[in-house]
Amino acid sequence: MTEQAAPYHAHLYYLPETRATAEAMRIRLIDRMESGAIPQLLFVGRLKDGKAGPHPVPQFEIHCTKEALPAILRLIEESGLTALVHPLTDDDLADHTTLAQWIGTPIELDLSTLDPPGRNQGVARFAKSDF
């Protein structure tokens, strides 16, 4: 992939009391994707009410390219939800730590579930599926 089309994930976290906010945000993102308002937003996952991979609290994920980040970051910040935004490289641990950007208060991830360097399965499912 080119630098401009580099793949990114964003994980938007919620608690039972903010689930309605998360669902509204999910619908807002789907609308932006389907309308073409953010054409580089390629996938919006479903709400996961439990642990998924390294994410210990409920979340849903989105996939986009680097050029979509300004619009995506603005929407996430407006929502008030906590989010982890990260690139997809060949180092899953770095993606979720040193290369990641948090919006809101960071959440402690379960890093033991991440792929070893050189084998990032997130790349294989980019724009196709979530956990």
Side-chain angles (χ1 to χ4, degrees), residues 22-85:
E23 180 60 29
M25 178 62 170
R26 182 179 174 274
I27 291 167
R28 189 174 182 193
L29 288 164
I30 289 170
D31 288 346
R32 297 288 192 293
M33 181 176 67
E34 291 178 348
S35 72
I38 305 177
Q40 305 85 4
L41 174 57
L42 306 172
F43 178 86
V44 178
R46 51 197 164 90
L47 272 64
K48 303 287 183 119
D49 288 331
K51 182 182 183 317
H55 311 286
V57 297
Q59 58 92 41
F60 72 97
E61 72 180 72
I62 63 174
H63 305 174
C64 65
T65 63
K66 185 176 182 176
E67 60 191 350
L69 286 179
I72 298 293
L73 295 175
R74 188 171 45 256
L75 287 171
I76 294 171
E77 288 168 356
E78 289 171 1
S79 77
L81 295 169
T82 293
L84 173 69
V85 182

